[in-house]
Amino acid sequence: MGTNDTTCPGPMKATSNGVFQGENPMHYALPLLILQICIVLFLTRVLSFLLRPLRQPRVIAEIVGGILLGPSALGKSSKFLNTVFPTKSLTVLDTLANLGLLFFLFLVGLELDPKSLKRTGKKALSIALAGITLPFIFGIGTSFALRSSIADGVSKAPFLVFMGVALSITAFPVLARILAEIKLLTTDIGKIALSAAAVNDVAAWILLALAVALSGDGSSPLTSLWVFLAGCGFVVFCIIAVQPGMQWLAKRCPEGEPVKEHYVCLTLGVVLAASFVTDLIGIHALFGAFVIGVIFPKEGHFATSLVEKVEDLVSGLFLPLYFVSSGLKTDVATIQGAQSWGLLVLVIFNACFGKIVGTVVSLALGFLMNTKGLVELIVLNIGKDRGVLNDQIFAIMVLMAIFTTFMTTPLVLAVYKPEKLTNGDYNNRTVEDTNQSNKPLCLMFCFQSIMNIPTIVNLIEASRGTNRKESLSVYAMHLMELSERSSAILMAHKVRRNGLPFWNKDKTGNSSDMVVVAFEAFQRLSRVSVRPMTAISAMATIHEDICRSAESKRTAMVILPFHKHVRLDRTWETTRNEYRLINKKVMEEAPCSVAILVDRGLGGATRVASSDFTLVITVLFLRE
């Protein structure tokens, strides 16, 4: 019996004994993984900081960071690649990245509520269908051009479907963040874009399931059919059997009480079990996690608590690893010659043209609907892993995703010119003019948290008087920071109680948000019209939301909270330094009068009626 001279290297051990024992930690799985994670986090955060002035979403920095670490840039050095990202370590990296991706897709599913499809307007639904159909057709046409040139040998049917899906996807989470960044989240075009993108997202996942089923290794066409039917059966089983159990858990987590730890573990265990089942079927483990997120009850406190507990670790630590895993497969150097670069231009043109033609309402809406993101990379990675996309086509499609997402913000800002408000007599409005015209005095109160609500309520009571009816109209704006966390999108869902799809309202039609409930209760007890509002923006630009809202609502005065609060020992403590800068910018740019409310005990636990309300107020009027 002959011997085989070629020996396969053994698997990497988990931990080393350290350099003092003569061992190199880079040859062991755990210390090498820690180093990889540190490099990824550092690079992606630096790129995100550099791209922030361009108002680009963090997904761009993470995709570009992955490509820079791959064979397109730093990976050109074989020494760097073999030291930091050796081939034998990629299995551990890919496994950890996909595990984080499972839970991230669960969070994405939590943001979608299929029941709200019924409330999607006909206009948004028609735009969504056209925004899917035309790019899908263009994607199929592009696939014929690629197969005749650089895609020889690929399976025809799976390749057609993968290309169609890749060009028709709109990244709903990324689009929501872009709209918030450029102050279009609450505009008409923002509402239409989010509604259409949400429908597009659901359709894209259905098409992706079909593409994965077609891309199996089975030689018989019946294999793909069985895979698809088994996937449909899994979804039906989750709706019939799993969803009632999730609803039972949600009912046992009332508002205001901490969610029990074993409920969270049980839910995450269900996510993993569902992922195992879909991988067993042959679709992909990601579908199981996404389906559990979609069917998870959105009402109540449980869903929000899950997001808060899971998202920081998943989106901040594990998700960038998936982009690096994708970047290590992307080699821009494979795009060589005029033909390959011409095909890249063709793919980008078809991706943009299909969306713009499909969304004929406006050019800006077409660019918004062309936003790509994580789902795009998932499609491309699945296609590459299953042999549907070769290295060159994979690189072309990744560059297309980067280009179309990167150009969204600057192009939308260039082509979308909202109508400017006509001020009329707004700038000359005074309290005396309000009394003479018998129109209600319009004020805007801004607050940072629910702790400010008693102060606002009592000040409104003191302001409205005792005998005046409907003489005061108040807008209460809740200032919320748009962070890098995915829960910022959940905050965006709660901003508008009407019109924004995929965030289910309770059966009474009222929001469960405590702030809204508090003002609704006060409005029923008083003659004052109080309309809750929410501004979700970065702290550096949230003053723009305040000023624009004051102008659009034609308010006579904006009342801002002081950036300090009184402690129990009657000393002052800074709430947050950013609030001082916000107040300063609002005073500089506001189109009306601005007041800073320094609360020295006005806010209390008890509401005082205006007829029994007496207090001494010092008001300082400062004029230029």
Side-chain angles (χ1 to χ4, degrees):
M1 183 176 179
T3 59
N4 190 356
D5 294 334
T6 59
T7 58
C8 296
M12 299 180 69
K13 294 183 179 180
T15 58
S16 71
N17 294 321
V19 293
F20 293 107
Q21 300 292 334
E23 294 182 352
N24 186 355
M26 301 295 288
H27 296 163
Y28 294 83
L30 181 60
L32 182 59
L33 180 63
I34 293 174
L35 178 63
Q36 292 170 346
I37 293 176
C38 292
I39 293 175
V40 169
L41 293 180
F42 175 77
L43 181 60
T44 54
R45 293 295 174 170
V46 169
L47 289 174
S48 179
F49 176 78
L50 295 177
L51 293 175
R52 190 175 301 168
L54 300 178
R55 308 177 87 168
Q56 294 296 323
R58 197 175 70 186
V59 64
I60 290 291
E62 292 171 337
I63 297 176
V64 173
I67 293 177
L68 292 179
L69 291 174
S72 301
L74 295 175
K76 287 183 177 294
S77 171
S78 58
K79 185 176 181 180
F80 171 82
L81 202 60
N82 294 330
T83 302
V84 182
F85 295 101
T87 304
K88 58 184 178 181
S89 72
L90 296 184
T91 301
V92 177
L93 181 65
D94 289 344
T95 302
L96 188 62
N98 280 278
L99 182 63
L101 188 63
L102 290 181
F103 290 112
F104 184 79
L105 264 295
F106 168 68
L107 297 179
V108 172
L110 278 176
E111 298 171 358
L112 300 177
D113 183 11
K115 295 179 182 178
S116 296
L117 279 172
K118 299 178 182 179
R119 295 195 295 271
T120 302
K122 294 182 179 179
K123 185 177 182 179
L125 184 60
S126 61
I127 291 174
L129 294 177
I132 296 171
T133 305
L134 289 180
F136 192 86
I137 294 174
F138 277 99
I140 293 177
T142 305
S143 66
F144 284 106
L146 294 175
R147 287 190 79 250
S148 63
S149 54
I150 62 175
D152 293 333
V154 299
S155 301
K156 183 177 181 180
F159 184 64
L160 298 182
V161 179
F162 267 100
M163 289 298 299
V165 174
L167 265 66
S168 60
I169 282 177
T170 297
F172 174 73
V174 179
L175 176 61
R177 181 165 299 280
I178 290 177
L179 288 172
E181 289 282 352
I182 60 179
K183 312 295 184 185
L184 296 181
L185 189 62
T186 56
T187 61
D188 291 337
I189 191 172
K191 295 177 184 179
I192 295 174
L194 275 183
S195 302
V199 177
N200 192 305
D201 216 24
V202 174
W205 279 100
I206 297 174
L207 292 173
L208 181 57
L210 175 62
V212 173
L214 292 174
S215 63
D217 296 330
S219 57
S220 173
L222 291 177
T223 303
S224 299
L225 178 61
W226 281 116
V227 169
F228 185 73
L229 292 178
C232 295
F234 167 78
V235 175
V236 173
F237 173 80
C238 288
I239 295 175
I240 296 176
V242 180
Q243 191 174 33
M246 296 291 100
Q247 292 174 344
W248 180 81
L249 287 179
K251 291 179 180 179
R252 296 180 66 87
C253 300
E255 188 79 28
E257 296 185 8
V259 177
K260 296 182 179 180
E261 180 263 348
H262 57 273
Y263 289 167
V264 177
C265 292
L266 179 59
T267 302
L268 299 182
V270 171
V271 173
L272 293 175
S275 301
F276 174 79
V277 171
T278 52
D279 188 80
L280 185 68
I281 291 173
I283 304 178
H284 199 283
L286 302 177
F287 285 94
F290 180 74
V291 170
I292 296 299
V294 171
I295 68 170
F296 199 88
K298 310 303 188 294
E299 304 88 351
H301 175 56
F302 193 19
T304 305
S305 297
L306 275 176
V307 172
E308 293 176 351
K309 292 177 181 295
V310 176
E311 66 177 350
D312 283 338
L313 182 64
V314 171
S315 62
L317 186 64
F318 291 146
L319 194 60
L321 299 181
Y322 186 79
F323 293 102
V324 172
S325 176
S326 176
L328 292 173
K329 305 173 188 176
T330 306
D331 189 0
V332 180
T334 58
I335 308 176
Q336 297 178 349
Q339 183 187 42
S340 297
W341 287 104
L343 290 173
L344 172 61
V345 175
L346 176 65
V347 170
I348 295 175
F349 174 79
N350 285 342
C352 299
F353 188 72
K355 287 291 185 182
I356 294 173
V357 173
T359 54
V360 294
V361 176
S362 72
L363 190 62
L365 185 59
F367 289 130
L368 288 171
M369 292 294 293
N370 202 31
T371 303
K372 309 297 181 185
L374 179 62
V375 181
E376 174 80 10
L377 284 187
I378 293 174
V379 173
L380 300 179
N381 277 280
I382 293 176
K384 191 175 189 307
D385 293 340
R386 294 181 175 247
V388 178
L389 307 177
N390 59 29
D391 293 342
Q392 191 171 359
I393 297 177
F394 182 80
I396 288 175
M397 299 303 293
V398 170
L399 291 182
M400 179 272 294
I402 295 175
F403 183 83
T404 53
T405 306
F406 188 90
M407 73 179 188
T408 298
T409 299
L411 288 181
V412 170
L413 292 176
V415 302
Y416 181 69
K417 304 296 183 184
E419 296 181 0
K420 294 185 178 180
L421 297 172
T422 56
N423 289 330
D425 61 346
Y426 170 65
N427 289 329
N428 298 322
R429 175 174 292 187
T430 62
V431 177
E432 289 78 7
D433 293 336
T434 303
N435 288 331
Q436 294 174 4
S437 62
N438 292 324
K439 293 181 180 180
L441 176 64
C442 188
L443 302 177
M444 177 180 290
F445 286 85
C446 299
F447 62 98
Q448 304 149 358
S449 66
I450 58 175
M451 293 187 298
N452 303 127
I453 294 180
T455 302
I456 296 175
V457 169
N458 288 333
L459 185 58
I460 294 174
E461 280 290 302
S463 303
R464 72 181 181 90
T466 57
N467 298 319
R468 303 174 67 186
K469 296 183 178 181
E470 298 294 338
S471 59
L472 186 62
S473 178
V474 175
Y475 291 93
M477 175 174 282
H478 190 185
L479 306 180
M480 301 180 70
E481 181 181 9
L482 179 68
S483 65
E484 290 290 347
R485 304 171 64 185
S486 59
S487 63
I489 303 172
L490 292 181
M491 289 194 300
H493 283 302
K494 296 180 181 180
V495 175
R496 297 188 302 277
R497 298 170 53 194
N498 301 309
L500 183 64
F502 298 108
W503 186 258
N504 196 22
K505 298 180 291 184
D506 55 21
K507 295 180 180 180
T508 62
N510 296 327
S511 172
S512 61
D513 184 57
M514 292 185 295
V515 173
V516 177
V517 171
F519 284 116
E520 287 179 345
F522 171 71
Q523 182 171 328
R524 294 190 184 100
L525 296 173
S526 306
R527 297 186 181 94
V528 180
S529 173
V530 183
R531 303 175 188 178
M533 303 170 61
T534 306
I536 300 180
S537 184
M539 284 298 179
T541 59
I542 201 169
H543 65 281
E544 299 176 7
D545 298 80
I546 299 174
C547 295
R548 291 179 183 176
S549 298
E551 185 174 4
S552 63
K553 303 303 181 183
R554 302 175 69 83
T555 57
M557 179 180 290
V558 174
I559 301 177
L560 302 171
F562 194 44
H563 68 279
K564 293 183 178 182
H565 62 273
V566 180
R567 301 172 59 180
L568 294 177
D569 58 359
R570 310 306 298 171
T571 60
W572 288 96
E573 181 181 18
T574 300
T575 305
R576 191 169 174 180
N577 286 325
E578 287 87 344
Y579 292 137
R580 177 177 176 272
L581 298 177
I582 292 173
N583 292 349
K584 181 180 179 182
K585 292 179 180 179
V586 172
M587 288 189 291
E588 293 174 351
E589 302 180 14
C592 60
S593 300
V594 179
I596 305 295
L597 175 59
V598 182
D599 182 12
R600 303 181 65 92
L602 178 61
T606 304
R607 171 182 171 268
V608 182
S610 60
S611 57
D612 301 325
F613 201 95
T614 58
L615 74 163
V616 177
I617 300 177
T618 301
V619 182
L620 302 178
F621 291 92
L622 305 178
R623 300 188 63 177
E624 295 181 359

